[in-house]
Structure formats: structure tokens, C-alpha cells
Amino acid sequence: MRMCDIIKKKRNGFELTDDEIKYAISGYMGGSIPDYQMSAFLLAVYYQGMSTRETVTLTRCIENSGDHVNLKDVKGYKADKHSTGGVGDKTTFVVAPLAAACGIKVAKISGRGLGHTGGTVDKLESIPGYQTSLSIDRFQEIVNKVGVSVIGQSQELAPADKKIYALRDVTATVDSLPLIASSIMGKKLAAADDGIVLEVTVGNGSFNKKIDDGITLARVMVDIGNAAGKKTVAVLTDMNQPLGYTIGNSIEVIEAINVLKTGKGNERLVDLSIELTANMINLAGMGTLEECREIARKNLENGSAYKKFYEMVKEQGGDVRYLEDTSLFDLGETKEFVANKSGYISYVNTEGYGLASLYLGAGRNKIEDKIDFSAGIKIVKSLGEYVEKGDTIAVMHTSDKSKFEQAEKKLAESTTISKDKAELRKVVLGRIE
Ligand code: URA
């Protein structure tokens, strides 16, 4: 077999055999297939798509590219939630400790930033000292002791995804249904969860721009999960505006800490966190969805979730003084982005907001780029709100002032102000079992 022939076959729109897909992935992992050929292959898949059979085979190749995490020493029901990616999506910081506070075990293996979307692991590393790389034994120990641990992907778990994910991030091959489905489900099948809740984002800040694409992606992933014996559900969520009031790393962690401490905050962020947690504990059989929403709300409001988050950060070496006093986080230099006329914010290009945050230094342009944890955006006026000319719409943060100009231009391009009110969608759009 030759990789060049496989690329050509896919480029010309033909279905690949299982052996060809296995050859491509194992060759890439073994080093006989270089990055440039894998990039061409990913682009061919991006344009031509994959059949369900091809997607399942690719998922299995990713799953079997490393070890299966065996969390045999973790007692209790294990559930995870995984997002298809969004802008300002910080739900993991609320949902993971909240689900643990409700009584289930959350052994969460998260990813880094991808395309214009941020990554949980990058965000967590903005807490000084927080270790995202732990041995499986230590990971299990923390999950047993605290109920929750969030780490990054190790070399052992689905290493093919780790390598391909980093390549997709810098080759414009992220927003492809089979690549997203196999990336997420490859990791989930290699992990040891009993239940999986998928947060499938839809809208102009998601990799799924159209609702139908989100539904198809959700169905494919739910089917793969259930066929592999893991109870899997998907919650479709709106990404036609950033989630919450912040985009970035430290700044998103601060917003989540405030929600955990007070049980309050941006309504969409709180509602979505409750919904995702309710679905996780519902899979564990803790009641009807309505009952589970109540349990989740109670544990958010009574501070139990914050306690879990605090304990997890402490166990993982993070400096908990930053949780107690979030003003310790360095948020760099600031510049305001102001309205150039009066009216309603009638449209926000959410991907543009994600890119503006990336331009400020919150994400990567090349694999080896370092993240600026202080970089990001605080949203002052959201989609649907009225602004007067000169009002602050957002505050940009960065440690490198030269980055303001490009980011501000992107924010301006991505914000429409008009006399018409925006059509606002609810944050939870649906659920697929
Ligand atoms: N999250 C993942 O883990 N993979 C993707 O491809 C997109 C979001």
C-alpha cells in the first residue's frame, strides 16, 4: 500500500477500506508517514467526508492506538462530558466538580485549544502549579479521594488523536464531521467511563455551523458510544454567541470560580452547566432529568461543587490562593473595544470573537506556540443588548500590547449593531439519546 494512493482515492471521493484507514493511522504513528502526507489525507477527508463505516473504523484506530485506561480502582459510577468545541466554553470547570458533588466519579481527560476554540487543559494550566499530566495511579487516587480529577491527554491514551489533533489545529482541518466524531469517540472509548454526555455545539462559533450538521454529528457519536456499550447522550447547545462573559484562559477560570463560589453568574452558563450535570447523574440512575436538575442546582448553590473544585486543584498541585483571591491572576494590559454607533448588538460572529482572543495570545498559531494565560476578552455587552455610541462592548487583555490592533479589528468585524433586536436562541437546543 502507498499513502499517496490512499490520499488520491479519498481526494477523488471514493470510500476507503478498513485496511487503508488502518495503514494510514498506524503508519503515521509509526513514523513512516510524515506530517505532510497526513495533512493532505486530512484535507481529503475534510472535502470528501467519510461513510459511517469509515468513521467507525477511524474511531477504532484512534481508540486502539494506545492503552485503554483501566480505572478499576475507582469505585462508583464514572461519567464524563465532552464538548465538540466552542468559544468561552468553560462548562467543564463547573460541571466536573458539580457532578462529583452530586455523588458520581468524574475522571476527565481533556484537550487543548483547537482552531478558534479554547481548550480545558490550557485553561487549567493558567492556575499556577496545576499539574495536567499525572500517572494513571495518581489520577485514580484523586478521583477516589475527591470524586473528580481533570488531566490532559497522556501519551498512552489515544495517542493518534493527540498527534492528529495538533496537526488539525494548524492545517484548517478541524471542522469535519468524521474527524471530530472519531477524535472525540476514539478518546472516549479508550477511557473507562460508564456514561458519556456529549455537548454538541451548534452555531457560528462552533465547528457545526448548521443545526442539521450538529444533529448528524450527535447521532453518529451517540451511536458509536452506545454500540460500544457505553451509555451515551448528546445535548445540543447554542454557540451563536460566546458562552458566558469571558473568552481566554485565566479569565475563563475566574468566571467559573465565581459561579462555583456563588452558584450564580451568566444565566446561559449556569443553565447549561446544570443541564449537562443533570444528564450525567441521570445516566447514573439518580432520578428523572427534572429531579437530577434539582440535585445539581442544590449542589451548585450550597457550595459543594466549589469545595470539590478546590480539593481537586489542591491535590493536583495548583496554588489554591488563586481560587480564594482571583485578583491574583495576571490579566495583563487592557484595552476597550467600544461601539461605533448606537443600537442593538444584533449579530455576533462568535468564531471571530474566538479568533480575536487567539490573536491576543490565548491560543496557538503553530504547534510549538506558548499560550499567554493573561490574554482574552471580557464581554461587557452581549448579543441582544442595547449600546450607545462609545459604550464598551468588550475589554481585551494581553501581555503584549502590540496585539490589540489586530484583535480589535477582528472584534469590530465580528459585531453588528443595528436598530433591529437579535433573535436569541436558548442555550439548550435539544437532546439526542
Ligand atoms: N474536541 C475533540 O476532542 N476533538 C475534536 O475534533 C473537536 C473537539
Side-chain angles (χ1 to χ4, degrees):
M1 247 180 248
R2 284 190 341 134
M3 186 60 179
C4 192
D5 298 332
I6 295 174
I7 296 169
K8 194 167 170 188
K9 186 171 172 187
K10 184 39 74 185
R11 185 202 68 186
N12 292 343
F14 295 102
E15 220 179 310
L16 300 176
T17 65
D18 290 350
D19 283 346
E20 285 165 337
I21 297 171
K22 284 179 194 156
Y23 175 87
I25 303 304
S26 64
Y28 185 52
M29 294 313 288
S32 61
I33 292 172
D35 278 352
Y36 57 81
Q37 280 191 314
M38 183 47 76
S39 303
F41 174 75
L42 294 172
L43 206 56
V45 172
Y46 177 91
Y47 280 117
Q48 297 296 353
M50 276 185 153
S51 65
T52 304
R53 187 210 30 94
E54 286 175 295
T55 307
V56 171
T57 303
L58 183 57
T59 304
R60 290 295 187 177
C61 286
I62 290 174
E63 173 196 352
N64 293 318
S65 63
D67 298 338
H68 284 73
V69 179
N70 178 358
L71 298 181
K72 61 179 183 340
D73 296 332
V74 172
K75 313 275 174 304
Y77 191 88
K78 296 181 280 295
D80 191 6
K81 80 107 205 157
H82 195 101
S83 169
T84 59
V87 176
D89 191 346
K90 58 207 57 84
T91 52
T92 291
F93 307 124
V94 182
V95 170
L98 179 54
C102 295
I104 62 170
K105 294 290 194 302
V106 185
K108 180 143 186 54
I109 300 173
S110 287
R112 296 196 178 271
L114 191 63
H116 64 279
T117 69
T120 298
V121 171
D122 295 328
K123 294 173 196 179
L124 274 173
E125 286 178 353
S126 70
I127 303 172
Y130 189 95
Q131 296 299 313
T132 54
S133 173
L134 298 178
S135 70
I136 292 297
D137 282 352
R138 179 72 184 125
F139 182 46
Q140 293 196 86
E141 202 177 288
I142 298 174
V143 176
N144 268 329
K145 184 169 171 194
V146 182
V148 54
S149 174
V150 184
I151 60 169
Q153 211 174 330
S154 66
Q155 271 317 329
E156 294 84 47
L157 181 112
D161 177 59
K162 194 172 184 190
K163 203 167 167 195
I164 294 171
Y165 191 97
L167 194 62
R168 285 169 60 213
D169 188 27
V170 291
T171 54
T173 49
V174 172
D175 44 344
S176 147
L177 188 152
L179 297 181
I180 297 175
S182 56
S183 160
I184 294 180
M185 296 314 292
K187 288 189 284 256
K188 297 297 113 181
L189 299 190
D193 297 298
D194 305 305
I196 303 166
V197 176
L198 299 164
E199 178 192 351
V200 178
T201 55
V202 180
N204 63 29
S206 164
F207 301 123
N208 316 297
K209 304 291 185 232
K210 297 195 222 109
I211 186 120
D212 287 352
D213 296 342
I215 293 172
T216 310
L217 174 64
R219 280 204 195 290
V220 170
M221 293 198 293
V222 166
D223 287 349
I224 293 175
N226 285 317
K230 309 218 178 214
K231 273 203 229 170
T232 309
V233 297
V235 177
L236 287 167
T237 70
D238 176 50
M239 195 39 76
N240 265 346
Q241 58 175 300
L243 185 63
Y245 296 127
T246 57
I247 309 166
N249 294 290
S250 300
I251 200 165
E252 285 199 37
V253 171
I254 295 172
E255 182 175 12
I257 292 170
N258 289 337
V259 169
L260 287 166
K261 277 183 176 169
T262 63
K264 297 192 191 74
N266 176 279
E267 206 181 311
R268 293 166 67 85
L269 171 61
V270 174
D271 286 354
L272 181 54
S273 301
I274 297 288
E275 190 64 20
L276 294 170
T277 309
N279 272 276
M280 287 167 81
I281 62 176
N282 173 259
L283 288 181
M286 289 180 67
T288 63
L289 260 180
E290 201 41 53
E291 287 163 349
C292 289
R293 286 186 192 108
E294 271 315 298
I295 298 171
R297 205 168 280 282
K298 193 179 97 214
N299 282 288
L300 181 62
E301 286 171 0
N302 69 15
S304 308
Y306 175 64
K307 260 193 225 143
K308 292 285 176 198
F309 186 71
Y310 184 98
E311 285 169 36
M312 175 186 83
V313 171
K314 194 166 174 197
E315 287 291 329
Q316 294 193 214
D319 187 341
V320 286
R321 286 174 306 168
Y322 282 70
L323 309 191
E324 284 157 3
D325 176 6
T326 54
S327 70
L328 291 174
F329 282 100
D330 174 12
L331 292 181
E333 307 281 344
T334 59
K335 184 165 194 287
E336 293 180 2
F337 161 61
V338 298
N340 60 1
K341 60 176 171 174
S342 302
Y344 291 99
I345 301 186
S346 57
Y347 180 81
V348 161
N349 180 339
T350 313
E351 180 170 341
Y353 272 53
L355 287 172
S357 172
L358 198 137
Y359 297 163
L360 289 164
R364 296 178 186 81
N365 294 310
K366 296 191 271 2
I367 290 177
E368 59 280 6
D369 282 353
K370 289 261 169 300
I371 300 269
D372 173 4
F373 292 127
S374 69
I377 296 168
K378 165 119 176 64
I379 297 164
V380 180
K381 295 281 185 187
S382 304
L383 181 67
E385 286 193 71
Y386 186 81
V387 286
E388 292 286 355
K389 184 175 176 183
D391 278 355
T392 303
I393 297 179
V395 180
M396 298 175 284
H397 294 256
T398 180
S399 61
D400 177 356
K401 282 184 184 173
S402 71
K403 297 191 163 156
F404 281 135
E405 195 182 331
Q406 192 192 13
E408 188 169 12
K409 192 160 166 270
K410 194 74 201 167
L411 286 176
E413 269 167 36
S414 308
T415 311
T416 307
I417 300 174
S418 69
K419 57 180 183 8
D420 306 315
K421 276 192 168 179
E423 238 182 70
L424 294 180
R425 289 201 302 205
K426 285 195 296 194
V427 69
V428 176
L429 301 172
R431 180 172 183 273
I432 289 175
E433 292 191 36

